[in-house]
Amino acid sequence: MDLKKPAKQFWLIGLLLSCLLAPSKATTDTLPSLFDYLAGFDSLELVISTDSKSLLRKRDEYQDAEINFKFGDQEVLSTGGEIRTRGNVRKDICYMPPTKLRFDKDYLKELGFSTYPTLKVVNSCSLRDPDQIYVHAEHLIYRLDRLFTDHSFRTIPLQIRYIDTQDKRDDMVFFAFIIEHEDQLADRLGGSIYEGTLFKEEMLKRDAYLDFCMFQYMIGNTDWKVLNKHNMKILRVMDLKEIHAIAYDFDYSGFVATHYAVPHESLPLESVIERLY
């Protein structure tokens, strides 16, 4: 029996745990955020005025945008900012992929908000009805996750309207939702997001990780992996010496069943609506 290999493995896990649970420069912003402010409205419309042709080139570059949140006829927030497209697969297959908004930190300070500078937006791939339904279903998963655990992202549903500042394209209107900034999630739960590349599932809080796995099984999602932190954030809570996996990005799940979703190629599944634990 080779006793050196297990000893080396446990030594490595111990070393990684010590790094994970070491003090870090975690944000400790206690001010309300822009997300908190927007969450106080029951029904929001987000109007984004930008160069649509440039945005639809789907480059990983921010471009100028006028960002206007409305509640009925009431203007909730109107400011200049920046926008870019995001998403690996969805940038390839979607006419209008998800986006990320970026705000000026000094402007947020002037409004009395914390300085989480970005908000992720998830909208439907196109104006087709099935694509709109996909986004409703994915948003429902985020809401279900909130019922299972506090270690989950908050979301705000809204309608989004893209206006072309060059007046060359018609307005595009989608159902969408915005996702809480990951640093705000970490602050809310008294922890910080681990940015390192090395990770093993043995480091996770066991019962919370089993709940995480069961949730993924329930929604029929195989599009995640602990080793490279694929579609998960790692939250370390130093005071409790706990490490949690935070799930996100569910468009490949059987619950949503998008037309492009497939099971992971390593699994003996033919469809995302099949389950395997």
Side-chain angles (χ1 to χ4, degrees):
M1 181 184 296
D2 184 1
L3 297 178
K4 293 181 180 179
K5 187 174 181 181
K8 183 177 180 180
Q9 181 183 15
F10 290 128
W11 173 83
L12 177 60
I13 292 173
L15 176 62
L16 292 175
L17 276 171
S18 66
C19 294
L20 278 166
L21 294 172
S24 67
K25 295 181 180 178
T27 322
T28 55
D29 227 326
T30 56
L31 294 172
S33 68
L34 174 59
F35 181 94
D36 295 329
Y37 172 62
L38 297 174
F41 296 89
D42 291 334
S43 178
L44 281 174
E45 180 185 18
L46 169 59
V47 180
I48 297 176
S49 301
T50 192
D51 185 333
S52 295
K53 181 178 179 181
S54 176
L55 184 66
L56 292 172
R57 287 175 183 160
K58 306 171 187 177
R59 299 172 297 187
D60 289 330
E61 299 175 1
Y62 281 103
Q63 64 184 58
D64 291 339
E66 287 296 321
I67 301 169
N68 193 350
F69 287 94
K70 294 181 177 181
F71 175 63
D73 295 331
Q74 176 186 349
E75 188 175 88
V76 172
L77 180 81
S78 182
T79 181
E82 294 176 306
I83 186 173
R84 71 170 176 85
T85 54
R86 62 181 186 85
N88 296 324
V89 174
R90 284 191 254 201
K91 276 201 301 186
D92 291 334
I93 65 173
C94 292
Y95 174 70
M96 183 66 239
T99 59
K100 180 180 282 189
L101 306 178
R102 186 164 69 180
F103 302 88
D104 181 75
K105 287 187 177 182
D106 290 335
Y107 173 72
L108 294 174
K109 284 181 181 178
E110 289 175 9
L111 294 178
F113 293 139
S114 54
T115 55
Y116 309 112
T118 60
L119 288 174
K120 289 181 178 179
V121 180
V122 179
N123 53 250
S124 54
C125 269
S126 73
L127 297 173
R128 295 168 55 249
D129 287 341
D131 288 336
Q132 300 274 15
I133 294 171
Y134 294 154
V135 177
H136 279 280
E138 185 174 5
H139 181 243
L140 180 57
I141 293 177
Y142 278 92
R143 289 297 177 91
L144 288 171
D145 201 16
R146 294 290 299 148
L147 296 177
F148 273 73
T149 175
D150 290 334
H151 295 88
S152 52
F153 283 102
R154 296 182 296 164
T155 58
I156 301 173
L158 45 74
Q159 178 177 279
I160 186 169
R161 178 184 299 273
Y162 289 100
I163 298 176
D164 181 22
T165 54
Q166 306 303 308
D167 293 327
K168 294 180 179 179
R169 296 173 184 264
D170 294 337
D171 293 359
M172 298 181 291
V173 181
F174 304 95
F175 172 76
F177 59 93
I178 56 178
I179 303 174
E180 178 181 26
H181 194 285
E182 62 192 61
D183 288 339
Q184 180 169 11
L185 176 146
D187 289 340
R188 175 167 58 83
L189 297 171
S192 61
I193 300 296
Y194 174 64
E195 301 292 351
T197 54
L198 292 174
F199 200 78
K200 289 183 177 291
E201 65 181 31
E202 293 90 338
M203 301 172 186
L204 294 166
K205 188 173 186 291
R206 183 63 179 169
D207 56 348
Y209 177 52
L210 292 176
D211 290 342
F212 173 96
C213 294
M214 283 301 300
F215 183 79
Q216 299 281 18
Y217 173 77
M218 182 188 76
I219 64 173
N221 189 32
T222 62
D223 189 28
W224 59 276
K225 189 174 183 179
V226 175
L227 185 63
N228 62 355
K229 303 184 301 178
H230 178 58
N231 284 341
M232 66 173 65
K233 296 294 180 182
I234 301 300
L235 174 74
R236 52 182 188 173
V237 184
M238 254 95 74
D239 289 348
L240 301 176
K241 290 185 169 51
E242 293 179 353
I243 302 174
H244 296 263
I246 312 294
Y248 69 94
D249 202 352
F250 306 112
D251 60 314
Y252 265 60
S253 68
F255 190 99
V256 179
T258 58
H259 65 274
Y260 56 83
V262 293
H264 193 277
E265 59 186 12
S266 67
L267 300 177
L269 300 175
E270 296 183 0
S271 165
V272 292
I273 63 173
E274 294 182 56
R275 298 295 195 276
L276 178 69
Y277 187 81

